[in-house]
Amino acid sequence: MKTLNLTSQRKAVYDIVHQSHDHPTAAEVMNRLVAQGHSLAYGTVYNSLRYLSDKQMIRELKLGESASRYDARMDDHQHIICESCGKVDEVMAQVPEDWVNKVSQDTGYTISHAHVVFGGICQDCKKTSR
């Protein structure tokens, strides 16, 4: 069983990530904390994000961008990134079992999990480019 030391700072950071549906970066979490009247040091925010990730309360997403993004949704799902505006959305489709088996067979790895990141152009960007 996980032992949690959820300080008020960690709780504030968790609440921001949990309430966000846009997969915020650490800088965006910081800006939202400031907007809510919190005054936390950047180090505290980064350490809180790491702690919450380590305790599997949030998920750190490395989506090929320079900054990690954070997701409070812990169920199995994938992500799609708009290659124009950078928006990140959730994809609720599961990774097909035959893909996982093929990767395992081709590499010799025992696969513990899979996360697929799709890239494309979102509907808003498609509308504005017409």
Side-chain angles (χ1 to χ4, degrees):
M1 173 149 188
K2 294 183 252 182
T3 305
L4 294 179
N5 181 14
L6 207 54
T7 63
S8 61
Q9 295 93 340
R10 290 174 181 162
K11 174 83 167 88
V13 170
Y14 174 79
D15 288 344
I16 292 290
V17 175
H18 186 68
Q19 295 162 6
S20 300
H21 299 288
D22 61 346
H23 307 84
T25 64
E28 291 168 337
V29 170
M30 183 70 177
N31 292 340
R32 293 170 194 182
L33 287 164
V34 169
Q36 289 184 2
H38 297 279
S39 59
L40 301 179
Y42 273 105
T44 301
V45 172
Y46 283 103
N47 289 338
S48 295
L49 289 166
R50 171 64 46 222
Y51 177 86
L52 294 167
S53 295
D54 289 348
K55 295 296 182 178
Q56 299 179 350
M57 294 179 67
I58 63 172
R59 182 182 298 174
E60 181 180 9
L61 304 173
K62 297 180 190 249
L63 302 175
E65 302 171 297
S66 57
S68 292
R69 292 180 172 270
Y70 295 90
D71 189 359
R73 194 168 186 160
M74 296 302 292
D75 57 343
D76 192 21
H77 64 283
Q78 317 315 310
H79 292 90
I80 189 165
I81 302 172
C82 178
E83 295 166 346
S84 180
C85 69
K87 176 181 172 184
V88 178
D89 281 314
E90 293 172 333
V91 177
M92 299 317 295
Q94 301 299 312
V95 175
E97 187 80 21
D98 58 329
W99 286 15
V100 175
N101 292 339
K102 176 86 170 106
V103 170
S104 179
Q105 186 178 36
D106 289 353
T107 64
Y109 277 66
T110 300
I111 308 291
S112 61
H113 66 279
H115 179 234
V116 176
V117 179
F118 297 91
I121 305 296
C122 73
Q123 292 180 356
D124 291 339
C125 290
K126 281 194 292 191
K127 288 177 192 171
T128 59
S129 69
R130 289 183 184 162

